[in-house]
């Protein structure tokens, strides 16, 4: 399975990425090794994700989400919380 995800960083910004192992990727981000952007913004929290069969689909969705405004991303996150499409702590 492949995932597109949104993280909420410690500075209240959002980071969007894709992976084929969601929990492991979040752990890598929190260790400061996930991406240059999140490196100085830990801890990060998973606030949204979608599942895809192929990495191409996940990468395409990542690109689409990155083009959204912050307000549009907040709407996705809010809707995910309502539909429980997130990982509980």
């Amino acid at each position: 399975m492949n995932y597109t995800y949104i993280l909420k960083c410690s500075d209240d910004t959002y980071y969007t990425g894709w992976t084929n192992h969601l929990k492991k990727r979040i752990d890598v981000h929190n260790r400061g090794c996930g991406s240059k952007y999140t490196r100085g913004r830990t801890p990060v929290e998973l606030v949204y994700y979608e599942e895809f069969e192929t990495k191409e689909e996940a990468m395409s969705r990542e690109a689409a989400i990155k083009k959204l405004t912050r307000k549009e991303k907040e709407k996705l996150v809010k809707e995910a919380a309502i539909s429980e499409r997130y990982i509980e702590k």
Side-chain angles (χ1 to χ4, degrees):
M1 192 61 57
N2 295 277
Y3 304 89
T4 300
Y5 61 91
I6 300 176
L7 303 177
K8 188 169 188 178
C9 300
S10 64
D11 65 353
D12 205 35
T13 59
Y14 288 118
Y15 173 83
T16 303
W18 81 273
T19 185
N20 56 14
H21 195 294
L22 193 55
K23 183 173 178 1
K24 182 178 175 182
R25 186 66 176 154
I26 305 310
D27 292 342
V28 170
H29 278 292
N30 275 317
R31 286 197 316 265
C33 303
S35 74
K36 190 174 181 179
Y37 185 84
T38 60
R39 195 171 298 144
R41 294 174 168 87
T42 57
V44 298
E45 174 188 1
L46 178 65
V47 293
Y48 179 84
Y49 73 93
E50 294 178 26
E51 298 177 346
F52 298 94
E53 289 295 320
T54 69
K55 74 175 187 177
E56 291 79 14
E57 290 172 305
M59 292 171 74
S60 177
R61 182 62 174 146
E62 173 194 15
I65 290 174
K66 285 183 173 185
K67 292 178 183 176
L68 298 177
T69 65
R70 178 177 173 90
K71 201 167 226 176
E72 291 168 327
K73 290 176 188 175
E74 288 172 341
K75 184 179 177 186
L76 277 179
V77 170
K78 184 178 179 180
E79 290 171 354
I82 291 169
S83 68
E84 298 185 31
R85 195 169 60 191
Y86 64 96
I87 297 176
E88 295 187 27
K89 297 176 189 167

